[in-house]
Amino acid sequence: TLDRLGWGAMSDEASGAFHRAALAADWTTVDRVVLLDVQADLILLFLEAGVALDEGGYIERARAALEAVHHRFEDAARGGYRSHAGDPALFTDANARMIRAGLRASGVLGVARWGEAAFRALERVVPAVYARGAGVAHVLENVPRIRGLLTDQVRTAGALLDAADASGSAVYRELAEELMRSALRRYADPLSGGLLDRIRTSA
């Protein structure tokens, strides 16, 4: 599966990016849309596979996708990652996924700029979308919009924990804890004992 993802029709050979989806069972027909969250998840997957299997080819494939993210998604002026080319909106969950991938890439590849870009995104996006007691909003345009999605809280907490491990900063860890305490309180469903994926909100 890794080989088909990394060197088949799902990959853009010119840019190094991954396409969004295979539309046929034989992987030959693909949806060529390139999205940030797909890059982030597959970069992290290929990095972890390369480390676990001691396979340099997988790590180099992740590196190629990282370069594609740098050229197509990094918003140098604002410090976050766009979800796809030409879209000025910064989506919280997609940024959190890319922050985690960038931090891991910096450690595996020994390249500081991936970690630096991840910290820039973290410092730009999280304070802008966060409201104490209300968690993080889903998207940042001119103002943060759409509060109340569990995935944003969980993915942001994960990015903050990775940032805390990478930097030693207790501030990141404390904010991650606050987000998850709030999420456990606000999204809990007493009937099922689980968590709802969203809450009703007017914000």
Side-chain angles (χ1 to χ4, degrees), residues 94-120:
N95 268 266
R97 288 151 89 164
M98 192 58 225
I99 289 164
R100 300 193 79 178
L103 292 172
R104 182 63 170 143
S106 184
V108 171
L109 299 171
V111 178
R113 68 181 172 117
W114 304 124
E116 291 165 358
F119 277 112
R120 282 196 302 272

Side-chain angles (χ1 to χ4, degrees), residues 42-196:
L42 290 178
I43 287 167
L44 195 54
L45 174 66
F46 274 83
L47 288 171
E48 298 297 357
V51 170
L53 302 173
D54 193 23
E55 176 52 67
Y58 293 150
I59 292 175
E60 289 306 309
R61 184 64 191 84
R63 189 195 302 269
L66 282 159
E67 293 289 352
V69 168
H70 170 68
H71 291 296
R72 300 181 67 162
F73 297 101
E74 278 189 44
D75 190 326
R78 295 188 297 167
Y81 300 98
R82 297 181 298 271
S83 288
H84 57 82
D87 185 352
L90 305 178
F91 285 85
T92 302
D93 57 344
N95 268 266
R97 288 151 89 164
M98 192 58 225
I99 289 164
R100 300 193 79 178
L103 292 172
R104 182 63 170 143
S106 184
V108 171
L109 299 171
V111 178
R113 68 181 172 117
W114 304 124
E116 291 165 358
F119 277 112
R120 282 196 302 272
L122 185 71
E123 292 291 345
R124 168 61 179 122
V125 175
V126 174
V129 298
Y130 171 73
R132 188 168 182 82
V136 292
H138 181 58
V139 60
L140 177 63
E141 294 176 303
N142 293 324
V143 295
R145 296 193 304 107
I146 310 174
R147 293 193 183 275
L149 299 179
L150 179 62
T151 182
D152 294 318
Q153 321 311 312
V154 174
R155 292 193 184 279
T156 301
L160 286 163
L161 289 173
D162 284 357
D165 288 344
S167 67
S169 172
V171 174
Y172 294 138
R173 190 174 302 279
E174 289 165 2
L175 182 52
E177 183 177 5
E178 195 278 327
L179 278 178
M180 291 311 301
R181 286 185 184 278
S182 176
L184 289 171
R185 182 179 69 253
R186 297 168 67 230
Y187 295 83
D189 179 15
L191 294 179
S192 68
L195 297 174
L196 301 172

